[in-house]
Amino acid sequence: MLMTSVTDLRRNIKSVLEQVIAEKTPAVILQRSKPVAYIVDAESFHSMQSTFEYSLSDADAVLKQIDVVRDKIAKEGGIQPDSVRLIRDLRSGKRRD
């Protein structure tokens, strides 16, 4: 991974971009020896973005499943006697209908 300071980046932006694009690896931008930003090529960025969006849709599905379980517990009159078993079942994909 390429590491460059803000000052060096100003002087060598073209070569930094060429290296990032050619090697498909990010460049770390340092300010006072601490990372402040990363530069990534467009293809890698789009890949990361689509992976993140996919992860969000998975999280939405899990939250919806939790809402269903919460509603079922409320209809049954309160707290499930063995919530550990319920959580294990949810994690393993088993359904309690």
Side-chain angles (χ1 to χ4, degrees), residues 22-88:
E23 296 178 9
K24 302 276 189 225
T25 59
V28 181
I29 311 304
L30 303 170
Q31 188 172 37
R32 296 186 179 104
S33 301
K34 293 182 183 177
V36 293
Y38 291 86
I39 298 176
V40 296
D41 64 285
E43 185 179 333
S44 297
F45 176 78
H46 290 300
S47 175
M48 288 186 293
Q49 192 173 30
S50 64
T51 301
F52 178 71
E53 288 170 357
Y54 180 74
S55 296
L56 286 180
S57 66
D58 284 351
D60 287 342
V62 170
L63 290 174
K64 287 178 185 175
Q65 189 176 12
I66 289 171
D67 285 341
V68 168
V69 171
R70 194 178 291 156
D71 291 344
K72 183 177 179 183
I73 290 171
K75 286 179 187 174
E76 292 176 356
I79 297 173
Q80 188 79 11
D82 185 12
S83 61
V84 173
R85 216 170 91 217
L86 174 66
I87 292 170
R88 281 191 196 133

